[in-house]
Amino acid sequence: MDFTNIFVILFLVGTLSDFLLDQILELVNFIHRKKHGAEIPETLQGLESLQGHIEKDVLEKTVAYKNARYKLWLPRHVLSTGLTLILVLCGFYPMIFSSIQKWTGNVYLASMLFMLLSSLPDSILDLPFSLIREFKIEKDFGFSKMTFRMWISDAVKSAVVSLVVAVPLICAAIFLLSHASSWWWILLGAVYVAFSFLISYLYPVLIAPVFNKFTPLEEGELKQRLESLMEKTGFHAKSIFIMDASKRSGHSNAYFTGLGKNKRIVLYDTLVNQLSTDEIEAVLAHELGHYKHRHIIKRQCVTIPLIFAALFAISMLIKNPLLYSGFGFLEKGVAQIETPLLFIGLFLAFLSFGSFAWIPSLIGNATSRRDEFQADVFSAKICGSGKNLISALIKLNKENLSEICPPKIYCLFNYDHPPLTERIRSISNPQNTKEET
């Protein structure tokens, strides 16, 4: 390990600074929660929708739930960061790469085995924490309905789906690195974008049903109201489906997914059971607000160029022998980089710069929170009032034991949705509804 190597320095600085940033943010949130977590902010006091939903006992339960998750996160985060540093500093990655190369001369098999084995230590480390989170914390607070058999089944299914998604992309990357010379990055970007659209198209009909059962919403007032709302906003979906989320968890959600003829709206059965028809209509109106404001399309217009820009930068990086020699994959002074090492270069590029992901994430979270505000205001306008959306958000906040007013600095880094207090303030502002177009 060469500690004077620029890429090793970037890895160490990024890993340690990211660790400290996360620790500080979580500690700030913990201290704030300990002092103010059971308090109802002045801006919400007296709000009729709060009655019976956000009261002292609910807030105390929320504090206990978040503290339990924080106390589990602490050792997981410390051990995970320590494991990453140990694996890199002791030369684990070049060691397994060398062993795989000796065992097989096939570049495709070698690369896939490397990706599998390199991710194995962290997966093993996460296992006990995942079990404690699911079968201790989530069950203690009344969320998890998971059985151990179901948990194993989900893990196996997730692994199979991940392989089905990852293997074609890994093979495409290796093939293009081998045959496309300096143009591999733009071709791989095109493959990745096309593959992402394909997965989005197939997800509702092939992937999601592997984990959950989706039942068309029955005829009745709720379906009529939601279809009328969709017609009013010009949103065309194959159908509205109820997902059996309650067989695993008590958490609630609603979303639309898919592309083209596979586009559909999905409501968790927990959400349908927790909210009134008016409130469900307001929640769907919020989701349709994203559609009317073209938030997803706008995000893609930013994300796709960034994918190509990142791949271009990586294409420059993986030509540099220092990237490999610093982490022990190549002796100093060796300039020739073979195809298997070029693929390892992708891994090393992410290793060197992955810890700085909080920078674009900071921007992405800010953009996402702005979009959520716009969708909230859209819902308030199209439903004639924000009253039902506010009551829905308050109920969902209670049912999911979400914090109502975390520190602003914590939200800045960790929230892609605004906290409850800010959403209510925005929805209640007549000027926002007036300016909504």
Side-chain angles (χ1 to χ4, degrees):
M1 179 64 61
D2 181 4
F3 291 101
T4 64
N5 183 283
I6 182 60
F7 296 105
V8 174
I9 293 172
L10 283 169
F11 161 73
L12 292 173
V13 170
T15 300
L16 294 175
S17 61
D18 185 57
F19 172 79
L20 289 174
L21 177 63
D22 285 342
Q23 287 287 334
I24 291 169
L25 288 171
E26 292 296 337
L27 180 61
V28 166
N29 193 35
F30 172 72
I31 294 172
H32 181 273
R33 185 167 58 240
K34 190 175 181 180
K35 290 182 177 179
H36 307 291
E39 301 173 0
I40 298 177
E42 291 183 9
T43 54
L44 299 186
Q45 290 180 8
L47 194 63
E48 184 180 346
S49 305
L50 287 178
Q51 303 305 314
H53 297 291
I54 305 295
E55 296 180 340
K56 190 172 181 61
D57 60 331
V58 176
L59 294 175
E60 288 175 347
K61 186 177 180 181
T62 299
V63 169
Y65 174 62
K66 293 299 183 181
N67 285 349
R69 290 180 65 92
Y70 171 62
K71 290 172 184 177
L72 183 65
W73 173 87
L74 267 176
R76 172 69 177 91
H77 189 236
V78 171
L79 291 174
S80 177
T81 304
L83 178 64
T84 299
L85 290 169
I86 289 170
L87 292 178
V88 172
L89 297 179
C90 77
F92 172 76
Y93 297 116
M95 180 187 70
I96 62 169
F97 178 68
S98 176
S99 300
I100 291 170
Q101 273 199 314
K102 291 177 182 177
W103 181 73
T104 174
N106 187 293
V107 64
Y108 293 93
L109 181 58
S111 299
M112 283 185 278
L113 284 174
F114 176 81
M115 295 305 295
L116 176 65
L117 294 176
S118 64
S119 65
L120 202 56
D122 193 67
S123 297
I124 294 173
L125 174 65
D126 184 62
L127 190 58
F129 293 97
S130 179
L131 287 168
I132 293 170
R133 183 170 53 250
E134 187 66 50
F135 293 101
K136 175 61 178 172
I137 297 176
E138 294 296 307
K139 282 191 179 293
D140 282 355
F141 287 90
F143 288 123
S144 178
K145 309 296 190 300
M146 190 81 76
T147 64
F148 186 69
R149 181 178 179 179
M150 190 184 298
W151 187 84
I152 292 292
S153 175
D154 280 356
V156 172
K157 290 175 182 177
S158 295
V160 171
V161 170
S162 296
L163 283 174
V164 169
V165 172
V167 168
L169 288 175
I170 291 174
C171 290
I174 297 168
F175 178 82
L176 293 172
L177 283 167
S178 303
H179 299 92
S181 185
S182 59
W183 290 100
W184 69 266
W185 63 272
I186 195 166
L187 295 174
L188 181 59
V191 169
Y192 178 81
V193 171
F195 192 71
S196 297
F197 280 115
L198 178 63
I199 292 297
S200 296
Y201 178 78
L202 296 177
Y203 177 82
V205 292
L206 290 184
I207 300 176
V210 171
F211 299 93
N212 290 94
K213 182 179 179 181
F214 294 83
T215 307
L217 181 62
E218 295 180 355
E219 296 294 335
E221 181 188 2
L222 178 59
K223 184 175 182 180
Q224 291 174 357
R225 294 270 293 274
L226 298 187
E227 287 181 341
S228 174
L229 180 63
M230 289 162 57
E231 184 177 351
K232 190 186 300 184
T233 56
F235 182 84
H236 303 288
K238 185 176 182 180
S239 187
I240 304 170
F241 289 85
I242 304 296
M243 188 180 92
D244 62 341
S246 60
K247 75 176 184 180
R248 288 183 175 82
S249 171
H251 291 294
S252 305
N253 199 6
Y255 63 93
F256 60 82
T257 184
L259 294 173
K261 67 177 184 179
N262 285 341
K263 189 160 53 176
R264 59 177 60 179
I265 290 171
V266 176
L267 307 174
Y268 283 25
D269 57 355
T270 47
L271 180 136
V272 174
N273 293 330
Q274 292 164 1
L275 303 184
S276 68
T277 298
D278 288 337
E279 290 165 343
I280 295 172
E281 181 183 40
V283 169
L284 180 58
H286 166 91
E287 297 301 327
L288 292 174
H290 290 301
Y291 164 75
K292 289 298 288 185
H293 281 286
R294 296 180 173 83
H295 289 153
I296 296 175
I297 294 175
K298 290 176 182 177
R299 201 168 299 160
Q300 289 172 342
C301 288
V302 174
T303 301
I304 291 175
L306 286 177
I307 290 171
F308 284 95
L311 286 172
F312 173 73
I314 290 172
S315 73
M316 298 291 103
L317 283 174
I318 64 174
K319 295 176 182 178
N320 192 336
L322 288 175
L323 179 64
Y324 307 90
S325 62
F327 292 98
F329 282 89
L330 201 64
E331 294 295 327
K332 283 185 177 181
V334 178
Q336 185 64 32
I337 303 173
E338 304 291 338
T339 298
L341 267 186
L342 286 175
F343 180 78
I344 297 299
L346 300 179
F347 170 79
L348 293 177
F350 285 109
L351 188 67
S352 300
F353 294 94
S355 296
F356 298 98
W358 62 268
I359 299 173
S361 177
L362 199 63
I363 301 170
N365 284 344
T367 303
S368 178
R369 291 193 300 269
R370 179 203 63 194
D371 292 348
E372 294 301 322
F373 281 131
Q374 287 185 334
D376 282 347
V377 174
F378 177 86
S379 173
K381 182 177 181 182
I382 201 167
C383 292
S385 164
K387 179 180 177 181
N388 290 322
L389 180 60
I390 289 174
S391 62
L393 291 174
I394 289 171
K395 287 183 181 179
L396 293 175
N397 202 89
K398 173 197 173 184
E399 297 298 335
N400 290 309
L401 292 181
S402 300
E403 294 178 87
I404 62 175
C405 190
K408 288 186 177 180
I409 185 67
Y410 186 80
C411 295
L412 195 66
F413 283 88
N414 291 286
Y415 273 44
D416 58 3
H417 281 55
L420 180 65
T421 50
E422 292 185 16
R423 295 183 74 171
I424 291 176
R425 190 180 302 118
S426 175
I427 296 167
S428 303
N429 186 343
Q431 190 65 28
N432 286 344
T433 305
K434 181 180 177 182
E435 292 177 357
E436 170 68 23
T437 57

